[in-house]
Amino acid sequence: VTGLSIRHLGERFQHSNETISKCFRTILTALSSPPFYTKYVYLPSATSPTPDEIKDNPKFYPFFYGALGAMDGTHVNCCPSLLERQTARNRK
């Protein structure tokens, strides 16, 4: 989120790199595991419109115009079932 390295975060918060790494892994695990993930994370359908919070905000929409998925060039290899293929189609 911050774009800083573990070394920079360790210096900023005055903790060792090992402590920063352990805390990061703990938070990442908590955010990507049930019940948090299953309750708050959902994948948009192929026809989902851009949320109004983005589309109506001139600070955000120019950057998200025409976006189909991940903004940082991340590519996630997936093999969806036949029923889920449409959801994963045309997502960059």
Side-chain angles (χ1 to χ4, degrees):
V1 172
T2 64
L4 297 176
S5 67
I6 289 177
R7 184 174 54 91
H8 284 106
L9 290 173
E11 185 177 324
R12 166 66 178 93
F13 294 107
Q14 296 296 300
H15 288 287
S16 71
N17 294 349
E18 181 181 359
T19 301
I20 297 294
S21 182
K22 283 181 184 179
C23 290
F24 179 80
R25 274 184 276 148
T26 300
I27 292 170
L28 184 62
T29 301
L31 295 178
S32 61
S33 302
F36 183 89
Y37 187 85
T38 54
K39 183 174 181 179
Y40 295 105
V41 177
Y42 64 93
L43 299 176
S45 69
T47 59
S48 294
T50 304
D52 291 335
E53 295 84 13
I54 294 174
K55 190 172 61 175
D56 296 338
N57 189 330
K59 288 184 177 181
F60 297 138
Y61 194 64
F63 300 105
F64 286 91
Y65 177 75
L68 296 175
M71 296 299 294
D72 63 355
T74 300
H75 296 277
V76 178
N77 188 19
C78 71
C79 298
S81 68
L82 185 60
L83 297 173
E84 297 174 319
R85 282 207 183 128
Q86 188 59 36
T87 304
R89 190 166 307 234
N90 291 330
R91 300 288 177 190
K92 292 182 182 178

